[in-house]
Amino acid sequence: MIRTHTKELILLGGALGDEAAAAFCAAAEREDAAAYARAYALLLGRDKQRSFAEHIAECVLYDDNLFARRAFSGTLTQDIRAAYRHDLAALQSLARLAQKQPAAIAPSIAQDFPAIAYGEDNPLFGKDWASEASLARIEDFYSRNGYGMFIGNKAFTYERGALRPVRNTSDVSLSDLKDYEDEKRAVEENAVSFLKGLPYSDMLLYGDKGTGKSSTVHAVLNKYADRGLRAVEIAKEQIREINAIKELLSSLPFRFFLFIDDLSLEEHDEKVGLLKAALEGSMNEKSANVMIVATSNRRHILKENFSDRDNSVHARDTMEEQLSLSDRFGLTVYFSSTGKAEYLSIVRQLAEDRKLTLPAEELSALAERWALMKGGRSPRRAKQFIDYAFACSSQGIPLDI
């Protein structure tokens, strides 16, 4: 039996929640050939059977622990560093066991059973994982990338009381979104104030479909993710849970867009009052690290019932009630529909980005035909047309519109 010291871990016990690492520990401690085979199979599935040290290092890096959180927020203490250094030494010792198999397993490996190899050290960890230099590199990694599930993930959903990463997010940038410069600037400047801890406003982006409202939010998130900006998208049905979501996010050292896309509500929907209270006027104070961002095709968000308004003795009160929700957003940004000139301007800019060589007149004629066929002009239609034209051009296929 080999003692792995893994039961003595102070901060990094969660790193051994990984199945392959746990199976390897069991194999070493109990000299269990079956557990060793399971560990090998799991590592083989991840291409790590020849680099066990790299695998353990990744388990450490992506573990959500006190050292990682404090490194990100810049509040590490010497005691936390010492505990983390102790755990790193223990886990490197575990990884080194790959160089010397337990006695009961070694004969099988000597014959024909494949062996788990230590491999190369992660450059971030170096040869001595518990050295001051390694600790400094790891601390810097967390300060720049966040910790746990926030490493490499900037967008999340909320499910059953917890955040879930969205793995495939849009990589759109502000420069990809043509025109609408004033609108993009207003959204970005408000986001920067939010990130700097300055006064900011909850945002409502409204206007016709396909004008780039959601894309602008995604682009700002992409630009400022490395400064600690994250987004949690919720469906309008989850507005009932909005205070619980804000409470969860308030405990995290990031700044969040609480994003509600394509928002529209009925006038007497209970969620209207809940959203109003979340924006302004409830016992829950406005959170320093949560900004509510919504997009809608309607300025007033509520679906207007003109017959109710005409029949109401208090028509003015009805209108004010419909306005009261959107007025709770401190910043409203209007994304207007595009006319022919604006549409073709966007088409030309996108074509230039894609290096399409169609003559200007032909490009405009095809773009107009596309808009007519698809039911209108918008930035979304322009992008769809250019994507189609680029795909055809790349394959030498004539544009059939």
Side-chain angles (χ1 to χ4, degrees):
M1 178 182 290
I2 297 175
R3 189 178 176 192
T4 63
H5 300 283
T6 54
K7 291 182 175 62
E8 300 164 16
L9 294 173
I10 303 168
L11 299 177
L12 286 171
L16 294 181
D18 172 78
E19 285 186 275
F24 184 89
C25 285
E29 291 172 351
R30 303 197 301 264
E31 298 196 359
D32 186 338
Y36 190 89
R38 175 164 173 73
Y40 187 90
L42 290 166
L43 291 167
L44 186 64
R46 302 171 197 175
D47 251 355
K48 296 293 185 182
Q49 75 280 4
R50 296 184 179 277
S51 51
F52 189 53
E54 178 70 27
H55 178 73
I56 295 296
E58 287 180 5
C59 292
V60 170
L61 278 181
Y62 288 91
D63 181 57
D64 185 347
N65 57 74
L66 183 63
F67 179 92
R69 287 184 174 229
R70 290 291 193 90
F72 177 74
S73 62
T75 56
L76 279 173
T77 66
Q78 288 306 314
D79 286 343
I80 295 173
R81 284 191 177 91
Y84 193 74
R85 184 183 295 109
H86 164 273
D87 287 3
L88 285 176
L91 288 171
Q92 186 173 24
S93 294
L94 172 67
R96 283 175 175 155
L97 291 177
Q99 298 170 327
K100 183 181 179 181
Q101 293 78 27
I105 301 171
S108 297
I109 293 174
Q111 294 176 20
D112 58 359
F113 196 92
I116 297 169
Y118 180 87
E120 298 293 327
D121 285 293
N122 185 307
L124 204 61
F125 285 55
K127 294 296 182 184
D128 179 2
W129 294 11
S131 69
E132 281 296 333
S134 295
L135 225 62
R137 288 193 297 269
I138 296 169
E139 182 179 347
D140 178 64
F141 173 84
Y142 288 128
S143 70
R144 290 183 291 103
N145 297 285
Y147 58 85
M149 67 177 172
F150 297 103
I151 299 173
N153 294 306
K154 52 184 177 284
F156 302 83
T157 57
Y158 179 79
E159 300 172 24
R160 299 179 182 179
L163 299 182
R164 297 285 183 268
V166 177
R167 303 295 184 187
N168 299 312
T169 57
S170 168
D171 61 356
V172 66
S173 68
L174 288 169
S175 63
D176 292 331
L177 305 175
K178 307 305 180 184
D179 295 351
Y180 292 89
E181 297 304 324
D182 291 341
E183 293 84 351
K184 291 186 294 186
R185 186 179 304 110
V187 173
E188 183 178 7
E189 288 176 352
N190 188 45
V192 171
S193 294
F194 176 53
L195 286 169
K196 289 183 175 179
L198 299 172
Y200 71 90
S201 298
D202 295 312
M203 292 191 288
L204 171 64
L205 285 58
Y206 74 98
D208 290 343
K209 60 184 180 180
T211 49
K213 305 179 293 294
S214 300
S215 294
T216 298
V217 176
H218 296 155
V220 170
L221 172 63
N222 290 338
K223 183 171 180 177
Y224 293 100
D226 62 353
R227 288 175 54 177
L229 183 61
R230 300 291 186 271
V232 177
E233 183 170 4
I234 63 171
K236 66 180 180 181
E237 289 75 20
Q238 292 178 298
I239 289 172
R240 296 184 181 90
E241 302 177 79
I242 200 163
N243 284 332
I245 298 169
K246 289 174 69 177
E247 193 75 21
L248 171 65
L249 299 181
S250 69
S251 66
L252 299 172
F254 297 87
R255 293 188 182 266
F256 292 91
F257 284 165
L258 189 52
F259 183 45
I260 313 170
D261 197 22
D262 197 20
L263 177 62
S264 65
L265 298 168
E266 299 289 344
E267 185 177 344
H268 301 294
D269 193 325
E270 63 167 327
K271 295 187 287 292
V272 174
L274 293 170
L275 185 53
K276 280 185 189 178
L279 288 162
E280 185 180 316
S282 77
M283 292 295 288
N284 287 278
E285 290 291 332
K286 186 173 182 178
S287 174
N289 75 323
V290 180
M291 177 196 293
I292 297 175
V293 181
T295 69
S296 178
N297 293 340
R298 297 179 174 86
R299 165 67 173 85
H300 303 152
I301 300 174
L302 303 182
K303 295 178 180 178
E304 298 178 273
N305 189 321
F306 289 98
S307 61
D308 285 352
R309 188 191 308 169
D310 291 341
N311 294 334
S312 175
V313 176
H314 305 288
R316 181 180 178 83
D317 291 344
T318 302
M319 283 297 295
E320 287 182 355
E321 177 65 21
Q322 289 174 336
L323 286 167
S324 64
L325 176 55
S326 58
D327 284 349
R328 298 283 176 106
F329 289 90
L331 176 65
T332 56
V333 184
Y334 175 49
F335 285 70
S336 61
S337 58
T338 51
K340 180 177 180 179
E342 294 84 2
Y343 170 71
L344 292 178
S345 168
I346 293 169
V347 166
R348 286 192 292 270
Q349 292 175 72
L350 292 173
E352 186 177 339
D353 285 354
R354 290 282 200 168
K355 295 181 171 52
L356 286 177
T357 56
L358 284 170
E361 287 187 7
E362 183 181 356
L363 181 71
S364 296
L366 289 168
E368 276 290 280
R369 199 179 305 163
W370 179 273
L372 182 64
M373 183 177 69
K374 297 293 183 180
R377 305 181 185 95
S378 71
R380 181 184 296 160
R381 295 288 184 234
K383 183 180 184 306
Q384 290 170 345
F385 165 68
I386 291 300
D387 286 346
Y388 174 72
F390 178 76
C392 289
S393 173
S394 299
Q395 299 175 77
I397 300 172
L399 270 69
D400 184 15
I401 300 174

